[in-house]
Amino acid sequence: MIKAVIFDMDGVLVDSEPLHYEINKLTAKKHCGIELDYEYYKQYIGSTVFFMWDKIKRDFNFDKYTTQELFDLSEVIKDELVSTKGYPEVKGAVNFVKSLTGQFKLAVASSSCIANIDNNMKKLGLKSDSVNAFDKLVSGTTVKNPKPAPDVFLKAAEELGVKPSECIVIEDSSNGAKAAKAAGMACVGFLNPSSGEQDLSMADYLFEDFDGIDGAFLEMVHAHCFGEPWKVMETDRLIIREMCPDDVEAIYKIYEGNDLRYTENLFDDIDKERAYIADYQKYIYNFYDFGIWLFEEKGTGDIIGRGGVELKVYEDGTEGIEIGYIIRKDKQRQGFAYEGLRSILSYVKEHFDIKSVRVLVHKENIASIELAKKLGAVFEGENGKISL
């Protein structure tokens, strides 16, 4: 279960990477006589400046200044540039942080020094005498190994008092994503154009805009990363959530006593069904973000049905988004199917670019035909369509 969100700073909260490159390029040229080509420089994005200068000294066989002296010289240039240009906020990042306050423990784990982290949080309005959006601020300069090693994220988790598996990291760099996964944490990669062409293939999910994500998105990513069933939505009487292999016995009970002419059959072998559900988690939920979900009754916690929408390929080669459901025999004719499916249709309309769903009902299944019509289906024979 997710308990903490850990943010990188440069390139995630502040759009500092272009300015950092300019600072380090000027420092290298002015004091070392070195031209820092961007293709060479981008390997250091996400790591510490001390690691960068130390490796530059080795790569270019330069020993006029120590690593600390090069850092101090770059700080002089940085102060000059920041005083005129400043560090701009990444669009939407501040509001996103504020939206998470109270939902999760929050930390910044950055390769920058703690003074820079602290100063940026103040400028962003995330730290003051009356505001403290983050529970912890952690600098990569205080740990043994810089990103892509996991040290700074592990220290952040320790200071927050949570396990690594209870954390999700937001990163914009290849080094940062590698560090998050090495720490055993979930990771979402922010595609910031200012950070250059970063390899974020290690991240569990990618996003382009803070305005398009929320706390529920982070919960989903974390659940998918660790194979946990994600709670998708709630109705008055139901929790609608993803399936997992541990649910298989309850799923079999749903089918007991039902007319299986109207439903998809289960495997005769329960282990095969568990394997199918595990694959369903991996290839359907993780890929499409929708599928068939479970209906869990509030109060009792009983799994009383399942329903949702799936991508179907029909015999004529056409594709369509199809809605389906099944309710446990003793819970039928109590409005659970309508309540669950109505909520699912609203969710699909809000979150996906889906204009309609198909309804296929056996002509003798009068109850399902009436339910589909109540949900807004228009039928042509046994085939119906619900416009969203």
Side-chain angles (χ1 to χ4, degrees), residues 6-267:
I6 302 175
F7 288 79
D8 177 40
M9 183 181 72
D10 296 297
V12 173
L13 296 174
V14 291
D15 209 9
S16 54
E17 293 302 350
L19 190 60
H20 281 172
Y21 174 52
E22 186 176 356
I23 292 165
N24 294 320
K25 184 178 180 181
L26 287 171
T27 304
K29 185 175 180 63
K30 181 177 180 180
H31 298 289
C32 309
I34 296 170
E35 292 285 351
L36 273 189
D37 176 77
Y38 185 75
E39 285 302 308
Y40 169 81
Y41 171 80
K42 68 182 183 181
Q43 67 181 294
Y44 300 115
I45 295 176
S47 194
T48 66
V49 70
F50 291 99
F51 174 79
M52 179 193 72
W53 285 120
D54 191 52
K55 190 169 187 298
I56 287 174
K57 278 166 55 65
R58 295 198 308 272
D59 288 352
F60 291 89
N61 195 26
F62 181 84
D63 58 6
K64 182 178 179 181
Y65 298 110
T66 66
T67 299
Q68 181 65 52
E69 287 171 336
L70 286 169
F71 170 75
D72 293 340
L73 291 168
S74 70
E75 285 291 287
V76 173
I77 293 176
K78 185 192 80 173
D79 291 341
E80 294 172 356
L81 291 181
V82 170
S83 64
T84 56
K85 296 185 177 183
Y87 284 136
E89 171 204 348
V90 169
K91 181 178 177 293
V94 169
N95 285 338
F96 180 69
V97 171
K98 290 178 178 178
S99 75
L100 301 181
T101 304
Q103 292 187 61
F104 313 104
K105 293 182 177 181
L106 303 179
V108 174
S110 169
S111 296
S112 292
C113 66
I114 195 65
N116 285 346
I117 300 172
D118 192 74
N119 188 45
N120 275 308
M121 294 309 103
K122 290 175 180 176
K123 288 185 175 180
L124 292 175
L126 295 174
K127 182 176 181 180
S128 66
D129 292 338
S130 58
V131 176
N132 204 352
F134 290 100
D135 299 286
K136 298 291 179 181
L137 303 177
V138 183
S139 169
T141 63
T142 64
V143 296
K144 181 179 180 181
N145 300 302
K147 302 174 187 177
D151 300 31
V152 70
F153 291 132
L154 293 174
K155 183 175 182 181
E158 181 182 1
E159 292 196 10
L160 289 171
V162 297
K163 300 175 184 176
S165 61
E166 295 171 332
C167 301
I168 189 166
V169 173
I170 301 178
E171 264 287 357
D172 71 308
S173 73
S174 175
N175 285 328
K178 289 176 182 177
K181 297 311 296 180
M185 300 177 179
C187 178
V188 286
F190 173 45
L191 296 170
N192 186 343
S194 298
S195 300
E197 296 180 2
Q198 294 291 310
D199 178 7
L200 294 173
S201 58
M202 290 287 290
D204 298 293
Y205 274 72
L206 304 177
F207 72 100
E208 296 179 320
D209 188 345
F210 276 102
D211 292 335
I213 64 172
D214 56 15
F217 169 78
L218 298 183
E219 289 176 333
M220 179 197 70
V221 174
H222 186 273
H224 288 178
C225 176
F226 291 100
E228 300 169 352
W230 175 52
K231 184 180 74 173
V232 184
M233 67 195 88
E234 291 187 36
T235 68
D236 290 341
R237 297 182 294 168
L238 296 172
I239 291 173
I240 300 175
R241 66 166 177 85
E242 294 175 345
M243 300 180 288
C244 71
D246 290 343
D247 297 317
V248 167
E249 290 184 3
I251 291 171
Y252 274 87
K253 289 181 181 178
I254 294 171
Y255 282 74
E256 290 178 0
N258 271 294
D259 189 336
L260 299 184
R261 291 179 301 166
Y262 306 145
T263 63
E264 294 184 355
N265 293 326
L266 303 173
F267 285 105

Side-chain angles (χ1 to χ4, degrees), residues 300-361:
T300 66
D302 288 346
I303 296 172
I304 65 167
R306 61 179 181 174
V309 294
E310 291 187 294
L311 177 65
K312 295 286 188 176
V313 180
Y314 300 100
E315 291 181 357
D316 61 1
T318 61
E319 295 183 350
I321 301 297
E322 184 177 303
I323 193 167
Y325 78 98
I326 184 171
I327 299 295
R328 204 173 70 192
K329 191 72 173 177
D330 63 318
K331 293 294 181 177
Q332 293 177 5
R333 300 188 181 279
Q334 298 177 41
F336 286 112
Y338 175 72
E339 183 176 327
L341 295 180
R342 182 182 61 180
S343 183
I344 287 168
L345 290 172
S346 296
Y347 179 87
V348 169
K349 181 179 180 179
E350 179 181 355
H351 290 86
F352 303 101
D353 186 25
I354 297 173
K355 305 302 180 185
S356 65
V357 298
R358 295 179 68 167
V359 183
L360 275 66
V361 185

Side-chain angles (χ1 to χ4, degrees), residues 338 369-377:
Y338 175 72
I369 292 173
E370 293 303 314
L371 171 61
K373 289 180 178 179
K374 190 176 180 181
L375 291 167

